[in-house]
Amino acid sequence: QVQLMESGGGSVQTGGSLRLSCAATGYTYMSGCMGWFRQAPGKEREAVAGIYSGGGSRAYADSVKGRFTISRDNAKNTLDLQMSRLKPEDTAMYYCAASRRVCGFGALLRGDQYSEWGQGTQVTVSS
């Protein structure tokens, strides 16, 4: 059984940084893509960033480009999201996601590519 466990969330002020981590246990689909999504209260879930199995190709939502960096370590089965220059609008519950198959070309930011989801970690950015 695949389990994704996020950590690293917290409260920071505008301009601060946080590093989220996701530990994947039971996940053996190294050809699958992984990603981060977020959901703020009263809003729909949105994609933040995604990364293919090899780690060489990544995609970011326009709202986080240049501020967030996604990375994965297949040997350790971990996925990270380095977040810098945080803004109040980044406040949300952040979820780690993983797929059991190769993701479609250009589809890293599509939620339907992912079958495994974590429980989330809260990020709060105050002004």
Side-chain angles (χ1 to χ4, degrees):
Q1 183 177 356
V2 176
Q3 287 190 324
L4 304 178
M5 181 67 72
E6 303 94 338
S7 62
S11 297
V12 296
Q13 291 188 327
T14 297
S17 299
L18 281 175
R19 187 177 185 89
L20 305 184
S21 293
C22 174
T25 57
Y27 183 66
T28 58
Y29 308 95
M30 292 300 106
S31 61
C33 55
M34 299 184 78
W36 287 96
F37 290 74
R38 67 186 182 187
Q39 187 168 21
K43 294 187 177 182
E44 293 188 353
R45 185 186 66 194
E46 63 175 355
V48 175
I51 186 168
Y52 282 106
S53 59
S57 185
R58 313 169 191 192
Y60 297 93
D62 288 343
S63 59
V64 306
K65 279 181 183 175
R67 300 188 298 122
F68 290 11
T69 301
I70 188 172
S71 60
R72 69 187 284 179
D73 186 330
N74 288 337
K76 295 181 179 179
N77 249 0
T78 58
L79 177 74
D80 289 343
L81 184 70
Q82 178 65 47
M83 305 186 295
S84 303
R85 291 183 281 147
L86 284 162
K87 305 175 182 179
E89 50 264 44
D90 294 319
T91 295
M93 185 72 78
Y94 282 71
Y95 298 92
C96 171
S99 71
R100 294 188 177 216
R101 55 183 174 84
V102 176
C103 287
F105 179 75
L108 284 175
L109 301 183
R110 283 173 43 186
D112 62 3
Q113 298 292 298
Y114 301 92
S115 56
E116 315 299 327
W117 296 84
Q119 295 298 307
T121 185
Q122 178 68 38
V123 171
T124 303
V125 184
S126 58
S127 57

